[in-house]
Amino acid sequence: MMTPQTMQSFPYSNLLPEIILGSGIILILILGLFDRVRYGHLKLLTSVIVFGSFVYTLLPNSNSYGGSLLLADGKNLLMFKAILSAVALLILPIIRRDQVSKNQSEFLSLFLSLLLGAQLAFTANQMALLLLATELMAISAYVLTLFLFNQQSAEAGLKYFIYGSVGTGLMLFGFSLIYAATGATHWNQIGQLLQQGNLDGGLPAAGVIMMTGGVLLKLGAAPFHLWIPDVYAASRFSVLAIFSTLPKIAASVLLLRWYGGLAFSADGQWMAILMIVAMVTLVAGNFPALLQKNVRRLMGYSSIAQGGFILLAVLISNAQPFSLAFYLAAMSLSNILVFYCLNWFARSHGAIDSKDFNGLGRKYFIPSLGLTVGLLSLTGLPPLAGFSAKVFLFSGLWFAADATGSQIQFSALIFGLLNTVVALFYYIRIPRSLFLEGGASGRNIQLSWSEKLFILSLTLVLIAFFIAPAAIHLPDFLN
Amino acid sequence: MNLNAILLNLLIFLPLAIAVAMLFLPNGDSKRLQQLAVLTGVVQVVLAVVLLVNWQMNVKGYQAEIAAPWFSVSSGDRMLFSAGYHVGLDGLSLPMVVLSAVVMLLAAILSAKVNSQVKGYFLLFQVLNTAIMGTFAALDMFLFYVFFEFMLIPMYFLIGIWGGPNRSYAAVKFFLYTLFGSILILVAMIILYQSTGEPGTFGISHSFDVEVLTGLKGLLPGSALDPVNPTLWFGLRASTWVFLLLATGFAIKIPAVPLHTWLPDAHVEASTPISVILAALLLKTGAYGLIRFGVLILPTEFQEFQFTLSIVAVVSIIYGSLNALASADLKRMIAYSSVAHMGFVLLGISAGNTVAIQGAIFQMTSHGIISAMLFILAGVIQDRTGSRLIGHYSGLYQKMPGFTSIVLIAFFAAMGIPGFSSFIGELLILIGGFSSTALPGTIPVLATIGILLSAGYLLWTISRMIFGTFHSKVEGDLYDLNKKEWTVLLPLALLTLVLGIYPGPLLDVILPFAEKFSALTSIGASLPLK
């Protein structure tokens, strides 16, 4: 077990990814004060910062913090950190100038602080630091919601804020109950104490429930999902790309660490309760999605459903985080591709409802292809990464069900599979409008070569991950 | 890797390579795109013929085989998932691959009429081509599943964009039905994968390879499928569930009543070449999958369900025929006749002996040829006037003598008249059915009612449309077959005649597989017919 290290021996250089991000935020904010600094420069700098943090995550031995506040246990965490930074890097192309209004440096620094919060939440080993990290993430997210600067987005931001605060409150209350029961604030110590089982059962159990509720809210899982459709309906696509990926990755890794051995063991009733939560989340996302016409709301409900699948992946990942990592990577890449193309259609044609896409596939092949590939990957069809992700997930579920003989895991498997068919109903709606319906007219807008390149390369990456899924282990090989 | 294996891989992946090349061709050059597709088809037919010539008779096991690891993912020191690239041919898949090459070539020729978004059409067409070839050649269940499911996406767009007025509905219905079937197969596949394997250095190494799965050779003791101390779900053994999942999943594709309702809609809305592919090849993938990945993997469970399967088959035959009798639309009638004919294939599978499975595979090949002809003929009429309603025409023989001659060949072939290939197929299936110890004699007797009914609706259609005084209720020049139509119809007519008169070589190709099949299903095989 780790022992708290002294200040002198703490290897600060291992914190470099976080230090790069933190100083980057300040730098961007300061540069934003000068009128002469243009958006292109700021974005380039942001890319360099994120890239720097990404590269440093990949460098050998950067994962052994060994401190008591931050604890990185094993290479799996490194894999998740690499995925997080890589996803953030890929979101940057969506944050075009028109997405940020006049508040260029603010948007970018909020984006970076959200990323920093997510990174810290991975490794935080202490209650207060974890709370700070998740709040950094959440507060950045509240403000990002407002970037449409209209009544609707203000309402959505407020709604998000209220829901989020309740989540934070729940988490904090859970922390205090656990502290009351164990007298410790470090997760590894708490884990030891709880597993020894010499504590009064009621208090820590209540604490765990509340704390989990707080994290489920970040994941967008039922019953804490109600904010998602409204927030999605009132936010910019770049913000949606962020919301549907980074906080979900952070929240799922947090859950994995809590339930996957760091603090509590994932057995028995906790597993069963969370499996049921996952199944309810799938229904809460997939069935309302069938009724949506607005693509933002549709993607909101899709994101809820994806949260359900992520939760299932977390629950089977105790010994094998690979399927969770792969699911997160595949889902994030697909979401980024979808939002990039949706953003293009919204910008060029003001397409908001699925009928607005009618016939556009014939005129604009590449964005339509990208959108279709992204949505089919989210559905889980071959030959795309989303398919492999679902196969690994279901295979893991079956393995767990078979090993434990648990009916609930078996039901979750069947439930997840049936939901895949339901999901096709609404995921196919936009491709159907694009290619099967007629009637696009009006002006013809050309894509720039960089837009084409981005869409095509992301499409190829989704196919490449299907052909060679082991590529996701790349960070491990580098170490 | 031997030469045949290289040829087989070329056969599978050539269309995909052409599709990539097509990306760089200009969209407007529709003639060149179609020529390229036809050329691909010609090369594929040549490759298929070379494979056929190189075929070694009386060899059990696979030919033109290649096996290589594809990918494996591990977590820590535990192997999580691995799949192989394993393709090859045997007596079951060779006829299907050759049939696919021929049908895809003819479909490419027929696609000359496509006039909108030609590039997209041929791109999807070529992708579909690779998916179909891969489905028939794959000997690794994961690889098979990938190809099998990948047929859906191009097919969805091919029906949905270039189809008839109600195409969108038909395409979505097709997609959802078959995806549902695929999901059932996916569950079964995962359970099979986790329950079989062999102990290796890194714990148990699982595999999707058909050799490990066939007859559950690599069954792990203590797994859910272990017959000793079996896992029960809702009172049924896990292995029974797996068989039911596989059978239902593939039955949707075959399609067997009552899971057939996507088929008439898809057929009626699809354009002629796509209808041809759908009837001649896609339905066969269902029957093929049921044989190779359903019955052969779980022969013991299959024996429990032989009778049930035969009931489904007989219901499909009779219900499909009755619906065909009641159809006013020529294409719908042919679609329902497909349901009935695929019912015979299912009957042959369920009988479980050498003769019957020989007949089933023969019938699959034969139905591929005949249904292609029928849909091309329906397309000819639709092209002339835009109407496919049987009641709109009479006395067509006066205006279209060439058309009439091919219609007579195709319809008599579909009826199962001696001298045509389907006679052999249906005869073997019925012989197999009568000699099967698992089925009561009433089952094949009931199936013969289907043959009578098929004679009914086909002859009635001939008498209404072809004979009598000339009359057409719709506008349009009813000219006879043109050169292109002759080119696609004549080879098919010849094939069904040749196979009907001289079925020996095809039966010899099938025989080693049929013997392997009946040995696994272990029901006293009667004398194989040569």
Side-chain angles (χ1 to χ4, degrees):
Chain A
M1 208 64 221
M2 293 289 173
T3 49
Q5 286 183 328
T6 53
M7 286 296 281
Q8 287 86 358
S9 67
F10 188 84
Y12 282 100
S13 63
N14 288 338
L15 263 179
L16 257 180
E18 286 81 2
I19 292 173
I20 293 173
L21 282 177
S23 40
I25 296 168
I26 298 167
L27 188 64
I28 298 262
L29 272 180
I30 293 174
L31 285 177
L33 296 174
F34 299 99
D35 283 345
R36 294 179 62 185
V37 180
R38 281 183 300 155
Y39 180 66
H41 297 145
L42 283 176
K43 197 169 147 187
L44 185 67
L45 183 63
T46 314
S47 317
V48 171
I49 292 164
V50 178
F51 189 68
S53 136
F54 173 62
V55 167
Y56 209 86
T57 319
L58 294 182
L59 285 184
N61 298 322
S62 64
N63 59 328
S64 53
Y65 295 112
S68 65
L69 285 181
L70 294 165
L71 187 64
D73 40 0
K75 287 180 175 174
N76 294 317
L77 212 57
L78 181 71
M79 181 162 70
F80 286 113
K81 265 182 113 170
I83 290 171
L84 188 77
S85 322
V87 165
L89 207 55
L90 287 171
I91 290 175
L92 275 169
I94 314 183
I95 310 178
R96 296 167 58 91
R97 199 195 176 99
D98 55 4
Q99 298 282 306
V100 299
S101 306
K102 284 179 191 154
N103 312 67
Q104 307 163 349
S105 62
E106 284 85 346
F107 191 106
L108 291 174
S109 55
L110 282 168
F111 168 68
L112 287 177
S113 61
L114 198 149
L115 181 61
L116 177 63
Q119 285 222 3
L120 281 173
F122 275 22
T123 44
N125 185 35
Q126 207 260 353
M127 283 177 176
L129 185 65
L130 180 64
L131 192 72
L132 279 178
T134 50
E135 278 313 279
L136 186 59
M137 210 160 63
I139 292 171
S140 314
Y142 305 147
V143 185
L144 282 174
T145 313
L146 301 173
F147 262 73
L148 216 55
F149 297 110
N150 60 19
Q151 170 112 32
Q152 205 193 0
S153 77
E155 265 180 42
L158 189 65
K159 191 166 187 179
Y160 191 9
F161 177 66
I162 292 170
Y163 267 89
S165 306
V166 171
T168 309
L170 272 177
M171 212 153 104
L172 197 56
F173 197 40
F175 285 175
S176 57
L177 288 180
I178 290 174
Y179 177 70
T182 62
T185 58
H186 289 69
W187 292 119
N188 52 355
Q189 293 168 4
I190 293 170
Q192 268 182 329
L193 289 167
L194 285 181
Q195 271 163 5
Q196 281 160 11
N198 53 5
L199 293 156
D200 177 61
L203 209 53
V208 171
I209 290 175
M210 298 211 161
M211 206 173 70
T212 312
V215 183
L216 288 182
L217 188 131
K218 307 255 179 290
L219 190 65
F224 305 103
H225 63 284
L226 295 166
W227 57 276
I228 289 189
D230 289 329
V231 168
Y232 273 57
S235 303
R236 291 194 178 277
F237 282 113
S238 53
V239 175
L240 297 189
I242 297 169
F243 284 3
S244 63
T245 53
L246 300 182
K248 281 193 197 294
I249 298 176
S252 55
V253 174
L254 252 183
L255 273 178
L256 179 66
R257 296 191 71 204
W258 283 356
Y259 286 90
L262 183 62
F264 323 104
S265 56
D267 56 354
Q269 49 193 3
W270 294 116
M271 179 73 111
I273 291 169
L274 283 178
M275 283 273 171
I276 292 168
V277 169
M279 287 191 259
V280 174
T281 307
L282 284 175
V283 174
N286 273 330
F287 283 87
L290 297 173
L291 307 170
Q292 302 306 317
K293 300 265 187 294
N294 181 307
V295 286
R296 289 166 192 265
R297 293 190 86 88
L298 184 101
M299 288 311 293
Y301 282 107
S302 136
S303 157
I304 296 172
Q306 297 293 339
F309 282 119
I310 292 174
L311 197 51
L312 286 179
V314 169
L315 294 176
I316 55 158
S317 289
N318 199 356
Q320 28 160 319
F322 174 82
S323 40
L324 175 63
F326 197 90
Y327 197 94
L328 289 173
M331 180 209 68
S332 304
L333 289 173
S334 318
N335 266 327
I336 292 172
L337 183 58
V338 166
F339 283 120
Y340 188 88
C341 299
L342 282 179
N343 186 33
W344 187 85
F345 280 113
R347 203 172 73 238
S348 56
H349 290 83
I352 299 164
D353 287 345
S354 52
K355 68 172 167 24
D356 297 338
F357 291 86
N358 283 0
L360 289 177
R362 305 178 185 203
K363 283 175 85 175
Y364 307 106
F365 177 66
I366 289 178
S368 310
L369 174 80
L371 195 50
T372 306
V373 166
L375 290 169
L376 290 180
S377 175
L378 284 176
T379 318
L381 289 177
L384 300 165
F387 168 71
S388 316
K390 288 239 162 70
V391 171
F392 297 151
L393 169 61
F394 292 136
S395 182
L397 262 176
W398 164 256
F399 185 78
D402 194 31
T404 60
S406 148
Q407 297 277 335
I408 191 103
Q409 279 157 336
F410 186 64
S411 327
L413 169 70
I414 301 301
F415 215 74
L417 284 163
L418 292 179
N419 266 280
T420 305
V421 183
V422 176
L424 180 72
F425 271 101
Y426 61 87
Y427 280 131
I428 201 71
R429 188 168 293 155
I430 298 172
R432 184 176 168 180
S433 297
L434 282 171
F435 292 104
L436 269 55
E437 309 292 337
S441 59
R443 62 221 161 99
N444 206 344
I445 297 151
Q446 287 303 311
L447 277 85
S448 72
W449 66 268
S450 60
E451 287 169 327
K452 284 181 186 170
L453 188 71
F454 185 76
I455 293 172
L456 288 179
S457 32
L458 219 49
T459 303
L460 288 179
V461 167
L462 282 176
I463 296 172
F465 266 119
F466 163 77
I467 295 172
I472 206 161
H473 279 308
L474 211 59
D476 284 359
F477 293 130
L478 291 173
N479 264 265
Chain B
M1 181 158 58
N2 56 21
L3 176 72
N4 284 348
I6 298 174
L7 294 182
L8 178 61
N9 281 294
L10 202 58
L11 186 65
I12 300 171
F13 289 107
L14 177 73
L16 195 64
I18 297 287
V20 174
M22 277 178 176
L23 273 175
F24 300 100
L25 283 177
N27 195 7
D29 202 350
S30 54
K31 201 163 170 88
R32 175 155 314 162
L33 284 162
Q34 197 243 343
Q35 282 167 350
L36 194 57
V38 172
L39 191 69
T40 317
V42 171
V43 175
Q44 279 186 300
V45 169
V46 170
L47 287 170
V49 168
V50 173
L51 281 172
L52 208 53
V53 171
N54 288 348
W55 191 256
Q56 290 178 310
M57 297 289 186
N58 302 320
V59 173
K60 292 207 181 214
Y62 305 106
Q63 301 184 35
E65 190 183 7
I66 173 173
W70 174 11
F71 71 81
S72 63
V73 291
S74 53
S75 188
D77 52 359
R78 208 174 86 78
M79 179 68 80
L80 280 185
F81 210 84
S82 70
Y85 179 80
H86 186 186
V87 294
L89 298 175
D90 61 2
L92 171 62
S93 42
L94 180 76
M96 292 299 106
V97 165
V98 177
L99 175 73
S100 306
V102 173
V103 170
M104 289 313 281
L105 170 63
L106 300 182
I109 296 173
L110 286 168
S111 300
K113 294 190 194 81
V114 175
N115 49 22
S116 69
Q117 302 172 79
V118 184
K119 188 166 150 180
Y121 178 89
F122 284 108
L123 264 172
L124 291 167
F125 185 89
Q126 299 293 40
V127 171
L128 180 66
N129 192 337
T130 287
I132 291 173
M133 295 292 175
T135 305
F136 286 131
L139 292 175
D140 180 283
M141 199 174 179
F142 187 80
L143 188 67
F144 165 82
Y145 184 84
V146 166
F147 281 125
F148 186 77
E149 188 151 319
F150 193 47
M151 289 189 297
L152 301 188
I153 300 168
M155 206 60 190
Y156 169 76
F157 287 114
L158 285 169
I159 297 174
I161 301 180
W162 292 275
N166 204 10
R167 56 183 183 264
S168 189
Y169 166 78
V172 171
K173 193 169 177 182
F174 162 78
F175 205 161
L176 287 169
Y177 261 76
T178 42
L179 182 74
F180 182 71
S182 303
I183 292 287
L184 299 182
I185 298 165
L186 181 67
V187 189
M189 185 174 89
I190 288 173
I191 299 177
L192 286 170
Y193 173 77
Q194 298 275 18
S195 307
T196 53
E198 46 200 35
T201 41
F202 298 104
I204 296 152
S205 81
H206 297 286
S207 163
F208 284 110
D209 199 284
V210 80
E211 279 306 286
V212 179
L213 296 178
T214 299
L216 287 181
K217 254 177 233 157
L219 184 70
L220 293 169
S223 68
L225 301 186
D226 197 347
V228 185
N229 188 18
T231 310
L232 292 179
W233 296 322
F234 306 106
L236 285 179
R237 277 185 287 121
S239 48
T240 310
W241 277 109
V242 172
F243 183 77
L244 284 176
L245 287 169
L246 288 169
T248 316
F250 288 121
I252 291 178
K253 201 80 160 211
I254 288 179
V257 176
L259 304 167
H260 67 287
T261 59
W262 62 271
L263 181 82
D265 286 315
H267 267 309
V268 168
E269 296 304 326
S271 61
T272 305
I274 304 307
S275 273
V276 169
I277 296 173
L278 202 55
L281 304 179
L282 254 66
L283 308 189
K284 306 302 172 292
T285 63
Y288 172 88
L290 181 61
I291 297 173
R292 192 180 301 289
F293 295 100
V295 178
L296 285 187
I297 288 180
L298 295 159
T300 328
E301 284 67 27
F302 162 70
Q303 285 170 23
E304 289 172 30
F305 285 97
Q306 269 179 302
F307 180 63
T308 319
L309 279 178
S310 69
I311 297 277
V312 174
V314 167
V315 170
S316 296
I317 293 170
I318 294 177
Y319 182 82
S321 304
L322 286 175
N323 264 295
L325 204 55
S327 298
D329 183 323
L330 188 58
K331 248 186 165 177
R332 195 169 275 271
M333 183 203 89
I334 301 169
Y336 276 115
S337 83
S338 283
V339 174
H341 285 129
M342 291 308 288
F344 271 99
V345 174
L346 194 57
L347 181 62
I349 297 170
S350 66
N353 54 27
T354 314
V355 179
I357 193 69
Q358 252 185 320
I361 300 170
F362 199 94
Q363 170 81 348
M364 279 159 74
T365 318
S366 151
H367 179 252
I369 299 164
I370 295 168
S371 64
M373 253 201 297
L374 293 173
F375 276 111
I376 295 170
L377 290 167
V380 167
I381 283 289
Q382 190 181 9
D383 278 352
R384 304 288 191 267
T385 65
S387 165
R388 291 182 310 256
L389 291 183
I390 299 169
H392 279 174
Y393 308 95
S394 82
L396 286 178
Y397 79 99
Q398 292 171 2
K399 291 259 180 176
M400 306 167 80
F403 175 78
T404 302
S405 58
I406 300 286
V407 164
L408 291 179
I409 292 177
F411 277 35
F412 284 128
M415 258 180 258
I417 298 288
F420 294 105
S421 55
S422 62
F423 170 71
I424 309 287
E426 283 169 12
L427 182 69
L428 290 181
I429 290 169
L430 290 175
I431 293 174
F434 279 117
S435 61
S436 170
T437 49
L439 307 182
T442 31
I443 294 285
V445 170
L446 285 171
T448 48
I449 295 178
I451 300 186
L452 286 178
L453 286 172
S454 80
Y457 62 78
L458 290 163
L459 288 175
W460 192 31
T461 307
I462 291 176
S463 74
R464 278 186 294 170
M465 283 184 79
I466 304 291
F467 298 134
T469 48
F470 175 75
H471 173 69
S472 168
K473 283 185 186 158
V474 275
E475 300 269 313
D477 181 15
L478 284 162
Y479 54 92
D480 206 357
L481 298 179
N482 60 27
K483 210 187 266 174
K484 190 168 281 156
E485 286 154 359
W486 276 113
T487 340
V488 292
L489 284 167
L490 259 190
L492 291 172
L494 285 176
L495 268 176
T496 176
L497 275 168
V498 168
L499 286 178
I501 295 164
Y502 188 49
L506 178 56
L507 289 174
D508 284 346
V509 166
I510 301 170
L511 183 63
F513 175 81
E515 282 171 345
K516 179 183 158 191
F517 179 91
S518 62
L520 265 168
T521 54
S522 70
I523 280 165
S526 49
L527 282 177
L529 236 77
K530 284 241 172 176

